[in-house]
């Protein structure tokens, strides 16, 4: 069946009878993690082993709010250290952070043109910060660029997630945000991705995201939206800041049934280091990681520091330098080094490669969508 945008004939739209949605793209293949070779001595103390593992497999932090935090500062120095925020280059290096997703989320209440404009301003600020901190940071869009930045001793910075209101209900704006570097979009806060699930326009947004290589973030989305995206998307999806609801009943945390479905779809749950969602201690965070690994699989779990997002953090995890403490706790619990390597680095790289792979395949058979929300959701 042809793609949906090709089925939008004027006479069909006028009559209000739109053909059924096209079938999702067929599976393009499975992108798996790289083979793991041990890098530490099992007889060493957990903290020593943690540093050794992180030196080889650094943290890919799935959510960091630094761009918005910097807006309130008139002057800052991230290269030498900045005490007014949780994130700077020295602490990123102390914590063995190799990649960082910079959130472009906006305060509540911004929508329409204001949301589009504010997101563009954050993109501009993020690019300026990376450019001026070129000794410590490097922009990245793909898994290959992330690896290159790490090999050059820089922290790779990826832009996103941004909120869906930033699209202004326009696929053209989505394409322009992608050209500016956006790589993750959160599917909440809009009429086409609501408690009722995805509308027809929402499904077309997901198809266009697959074509571009923009990853869907489902943290905070309704169960109906999560399930529809999992069935529709041919690229891996992620939850940028979701822990286990079975351990802590926060609305953004995921119940076990959705965790299992996310794992079966080879998606990724990035566990936030926030006291509200995971608990007040490093042991509480480790409990969530244990639970999600048991329910969804080691390939489904990652880390989301949520630093500089305004959230309170568990004890011993106050800033981006603290990741070795968490990894040492997991090693004390018997985590295999291979699972730790997936948690910190491998799973995020797999999702990035999967998004790139799906986009290249989709672009060979699908032109940019011209569908509009008025045509599909009238």
């Amino acid at each position: 069946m042809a793609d949906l945008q090709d089925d939008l004939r004027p006479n069909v739209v006028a009559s209000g009878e739109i053909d059924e949605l096209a079938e999702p793209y067929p599976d393009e293949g499975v992108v798996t993690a790289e083979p793991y070779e041990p890098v530490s001595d099992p007889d060493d103390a957990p903290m020593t082993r943690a540093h050794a593992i992180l030196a080889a497999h650094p943290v890919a932090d799935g959510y960091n709010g630094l761009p918005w935090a910097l807006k309130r500062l008139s002057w800052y120095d991230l290269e030498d250290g900045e005490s007014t925020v949780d994130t700077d280059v020295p602490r990123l290096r102390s914590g063995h952070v190799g990649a960082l997703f910079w959130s472009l989320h906006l305060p509540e209440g911004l929508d329409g043109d204001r949301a589009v404009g504010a997101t563009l301003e954050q993109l501009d600020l993020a690019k300026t910060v990376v450019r001026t901190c070129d000794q410590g940071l490097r922009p990245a869009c793909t898994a290959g660029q992330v690896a290159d930045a790490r090999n050059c001793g820089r922290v790779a910075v990826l832009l996103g997630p941004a909120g869906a209101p930033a699209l202004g209900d326009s696929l053209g704006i989505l394409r322009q945000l992608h050209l500016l570097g956006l790589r993750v979009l959160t599917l909440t806060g809009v009429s086409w991705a609501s408690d009722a699930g995805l509308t027809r326009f929402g499904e077309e947004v997901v198809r266009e995201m697959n074509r571009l290589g923009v990853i869907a973030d489902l943290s905070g989305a309704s169960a109906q939206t999560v399930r529809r995206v999992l069935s529709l998307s041919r690229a891996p999806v992620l939850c940028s800041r979701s822990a286990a609801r079975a351990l802590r009943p926060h609305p953004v945390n995921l119940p076990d049934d959705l965790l299992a479905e996310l794992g079966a779809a080879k998606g990724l749950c990035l566990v936030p280091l926030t006291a509200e969602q995971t608990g007040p201690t490093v042991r509480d965070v480790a409990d969530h990681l244990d639970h999600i690994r048991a329910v969804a699989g080691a390939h489904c779990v990652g880390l989301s520091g949520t630093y500089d997002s305004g959230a309170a953090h568990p004890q011993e995890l106050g800033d981006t330098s603290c990741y070795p403490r968490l990894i040492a706790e997991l090693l004390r619990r018997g985590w295999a080094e291979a699972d730790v390597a997936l948690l910190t680095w491998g799973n995020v790289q797999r999702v990035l490669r999967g998004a790139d792979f799906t986009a290249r395949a989709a672009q060979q058979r699908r032109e940019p969508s011209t569908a509009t929300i008025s045509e599909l959701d009238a």
Side-chain angles (χ1 to χ4, degrees):
M1 184 182 294
D3 285 327
L4 176 59
Q5 62 175 337
D6 299 326
D7 291 339
L8 294 175
R9 307 179 189 90
N11 61 325
V12 175
V13 175
S15 66
E17 298 177 357
I18 300 178
D19 291 343
E20 288 300 314
L21 289 173
E23 291 297 318
Y25 297 132
D27 289 334
E28 307 295 352
V30 178
V31 180
T32 58
E34 299 174 357
Y36 178 79
E37 296 183 2
V39 296
S40 74
D41 187 340
D43 294 330
D44 287 342
M47 185 62 77
T48 301
R49 292 180 63 203
H51 280 285
I53 295 169
L54 288 171
H57 305 276
V59 172
D61 186 332
Y63 192 97
N64 183 284
L66 187 62
W68 191 264
L70 293 178
K71 286 175 65 69
R72 70 175 189 268
L73 302 180
S74 59
W75 186 90
Y76 49 83
D77 185 351
L78 298 179
E79 290 278 12
D80 291 332
E82 181 56 59
S83 61
T84 57
V85 293
D86 300 329
T87 308
D88 56 30
V89 172
R91 282 179 286 181
L92 288 170
R93 287 177 171 156
S94 295
H96 300 283
V97 177
L100 205 59
F101 286 82
W102 273 2
S103 165
L104 305 176
H105 282 157
L106 305 173
E108 292 185 11
L110 288 180
D111 54 16
D113 292 343
R114 294 175 65 204
V116 177
T119 301
L120 290 173
E121 289 177 355
Q122 282 209 79
L123 277 165
D124 178 67
L125 174 61
K127 287 174 173 284
T128 299
V129 171
V130 174
R131 184 171 61 250
T132 57
C133 296
D134 58 348
Q135 295 304 304
L137 307 176
R138 176 172 291 190
C141 293
T142 66
Q145 291 173 357
V146 168
D148 288 344
R150 171 198 164 197
N151 293 336
C152 293
R154 307 293 193 273
V155 178
V157 174
L158 300 104
L159 300 179
L167 268 60
D169 297 336
S170 167
L171 295 176
I173 293 177
L174 171 63
R175 286 188 285 272
Q176 294 309 305
L177 290 174
H178 172 262
L179 287 174
L180 291 172
L182 180 67
R183 286 303 175 267
V184 185
L185 184 74
T186 306
L187 301 185
T188 60
V190 287
S191 63
W192 44 266
S194 65
D195 290 344
L198 292 181
T199 66
R200 287 185 164 186
F201 180 73
E203 292 178 328
E204 189 71 349
V205 170
V206 173
R207 288 189 175 94
E208 190 67 6
M209 290 169 66
N210 278 185
R211 195 190 70 82
L212 294 170
V214 177
I215 301 167
D217 170 24
L218 301 177
S219 276
S222 67
Q224 291 85 347
T225 296
V226 171
R227 290 193 168 98
R228 185 57 184 138
V229 174
L230 290 178
S231 67
L232 181 66
S233 178
R234 295 283 68 98
V237 304
L238 57 79
C239 294
S240 66
R241 57 202 188 286
S242 294
R245 193 176 296 178
L247 301 184
R248 202 164 184 91
H250 190 280
V252 180
N253 291 347
L254 294 177
D256 285 357
D257 58 341
L258 287 184
L259 281 172
E261 292 178 41
L262 183 67
K266 299 297 188 290
L268 181 56
C269 181
L270 297 164
V271 175
L273 309 188
T274 68
E276 182 181 9
Q277 285 186 254
T278 54
T281 71
V282 66
R283 292 181 296 277
D284 293 317
V285 178
D287 288 343
H288 284 268
L289 296 172
D290 281 340
H291 185 86
I292 294 171
R293 183 180 65 154
V295 172
H299 63 278
C300 184
V301 62
L303 296 173
S304 185
T306 62
Y307 293 112
D308 291 306
S309 64
H313 298 284
Q315 299 169 16
E316 301 185 75
L317 298 175
D319 59 50
T320 53
S321 69
C322 299
Y323 281 108
R325 298 174 184 172
L326 176 59
I327 301 308
E329 174 64 22
L330 297 178
L331 293 173
R332 293 187 191 101
R333 294 176 178 223
W335 275 54
E337 287 191 10
D339 285 358
V340 173
L342 290 176
L343 171 77
T344 59
W345 185 257
N347 287 336
V348 168
Q349 283 290 83
R350 173 183 59 79
V351 168
L352 289 172
R353 291 198 305 270
D356 294 342
F357 186 91
T358 301
R360 289 194 300 270
Q363 289 165 15
Q364 293 177 4
R365 62 171 175 272
R366 176 179 168 91
E367 294 298 317
S369 177
T370 59
T372 66
I373 192 170
S374 61
E375 291 172 323
L376 298 179
D377 292 351

